[in-house]
Amino acid sequence: MQDTDWDDFRVFLAVGQAGSLSGAARQLGVNHSTVLRRLGALEARMAVRLFDRLPAGYAMTLAGEALRERLQGVGEQIDAAQRHLMGLDLRLTGVIRITSTDTFMAELLGPILADFRALHPGIELQVVMNNLFLSLTKREADVAIRPTNAPPDHLVGRRAGRLQTAVYASKAYLAKHPATTPLAAHDWVAPDEGLSHLLQAKWLREQVPPARIAARVDSLVGMTQLVKRGLGLGMLLCMLADAEDELVQVEPPREALDTQVWVLTHPDLKEVARIKAFTDFAYARLVADAKVLAMPAGRPAAR
């Protein structure tokens, strides 16, 4: 084992966790062939098969289970050491890996990233769009810019404001279905199970019968587009819906459905020069953006 590259072990652990080469590749930020090559090299070097290749995915052999047990905790220690060393780096160069949602990329993040990169050409920006929080502890990302009312406890950052949500419909839909019709009697475009944690998803479950759901979508951007096409009403982000001329706000935003906007990082990374420069820049731009409303007075803006 002393002659084995640690990256080979990282690939082994990632395949074990994901159960597939493609899942491990996404987790590590490399391509499928790199995972296949490193795993094959590790098995050849150790002269043992670590996984059974099954139709449903990769399953660890007994030898693989034994190796994973021997490596228990090693990955976390190496990641912690890397985060500590990054904290000593004062140069505005290198890579910043940012996780956010398609919602933010569509309306907010694009100009922020372009302007920051123009100021700091020595920094490479890597963007991962995902509706779930990536692990900043495992260095799947360095910064998270997300709408959430419950940011993970182990991250630190600042709240830049809030986004409003309201019921919208297309002009074409309202021409056939008057807005005076009770909400529960309309057709609806709803979030799917992947977005079931959202406040608007909970509101729909309580207010709209399942039989009235015309479509479910795993993206707020996608929901907006289907409502625009006339499939039904939708509880949409005002930031997205107000930009569409074909959409009409059926009723005012509900404050109880407001979603906070956070700029977050791992405590070990917050003083890294490039991370601090980016989080400060992104926070200032979000606070100044008219699409992001200020929080009511008296609520803490940092954690």
Side-chain angles (χ1 to χ4, degrees):
M1 290 178 62
Q2 65 267 24
D3 297 326
T4 303
D5 191 325
W6 165 243
D7 283 340
D8 291 344
F9 289 130
R10 290 182 65 225
V11 166
F12 161 74
L13 292 172
V15 173
Q17 183 178 33
S20 68
L21 298 181
S22 58
R26 286 193 298 271
Q27 179 179 324
L28 296 171
V30 299
N31 58 46
H32 178 282
S33 61
T34 298
V35 175
L36 180 62
R37 175 174 53 80
R38 283 193 172 273
L39 182 59
L42 179 61
E43 289 185 322
R45 200 154 46 242
M46 302 186 73
V48 66
R49 191 176 76 257
L50 300 172
F51 292 95
D52 288 324
R53 281 69 167 169
L54 304 176
Y58 275 51
M60 278 192 181
T61 62
L62 289 177
E65 295 285 357
L67 177 58
R68 180 169 63 180
E69 185 175 347
R70 290 289 301 274
L71 294 175
Q72 188 74 30
V74 175
E76 288 79 359
Q77 293 178 37
I78 291 177
D79 288 339
Q82 289 176 335
R83 291 197 304 271
H84 174 72
L85 291 175
M86 283 184 65
L88 303 178
D89 183 3
L90 301 179
R91 299 168 300 165
L92 288 183
T93 59
V95 175
I96 302 176
R97 191 167 172 83
I98 303 149
T99 175
S100 192
T101 64
D102 57 350
T103 302
F104 265 44
M105 182 55 69
E107 293 295 328
L108 293 173
L109 268 190
I112 293 174
L113 297 180
D115 291 347
F116 180 81
R117 181 62 173 70
L119 287 173
H120 304 290
I123 292 177
E124 176 186 332
L125 301 174
Q126 297 181 356
V127 184
V128 181
M129 289 186 288
N130 195 310
N131 286 325
L132 300 175
F133 269 100
L134 296 183
S135 174
L136 273 66
T137 300
K138 296 181 179 178
R139 295 295 316 285
E140 293 174 359
D142 301 314
V143 177
I145 301 179
R146 289 189 168 271
T148 178
N149 289 334
D153 291 337
H154 63 282
L155 301 182
V156 297
R158 288 175 287 181
R159 184 174 53 194
R162 59 194 168 97
L163 303 177
Q164 289 186 308
T165 301
V167 177
Y168 288 83
S170 70
K171 296 175 183 177
Y173 178 88
L174 291 177
K176 300 177 181 178
H177 308 84
T180 54
T181 303
L183 293 180
H186 282 281
D187 292 332
W188 284 82
V189 176
D192 77 350
E193 292 181 358
L195 298 177
S196 61
H197 60 285
L198 298 180
L199 292 174
Q200 54 262 57
K202 180 181 179 182
W203 182 90
L204 280 168
R205 289 194 295 270
E206 295 173 348
Q207 303 295 329
V208 177
R212 301 305 309 185
I213 304 299
R216 296 185 184 275
V217 191
D218 67 349
S219 160
L220 296 181
V221 174
M223 284 177 57
T224 303
Q225 292 305 307
L226 289 188
V227 173
K228 177 182 174 182
R229 299 300 177 186
L231 270 71
L233 271 59
M235 183 66 78
L236 306 177
L237 282 178
C238 299
M239 174 182 70
L240 297 175
D242 289 344
E244 301 287 350
D245 292 337
E246 288 299 313
L247 293 180
V248 176
Q249 193 176 103
V250 175
E251 61 175 38
R254 297 169 180 258
E255 185 176 350
L257 300 183
D258 285 357
T259 306
Q260 301 168 15
V261 177
W262 285 87
V263 180
L264 301 162
T265 189
H266 191 278
D268 291 348
L269 301 179
K270 66 178 182 177
E271 297 303 327
V272 175
R274 64 181 181 275
I275 304 298
K276 189 175 188 305
F278 177 74
T279 54
D280 287 348
F281 185 86
Y283 173 79
R285 287 286 296 268
L286 288 169
V287 168
D289 198 306
K291 297 172 185 174
V292 180
L293 302 182
M295 291 297 299
R299 300 184 187 180
R303 53 175 298 156

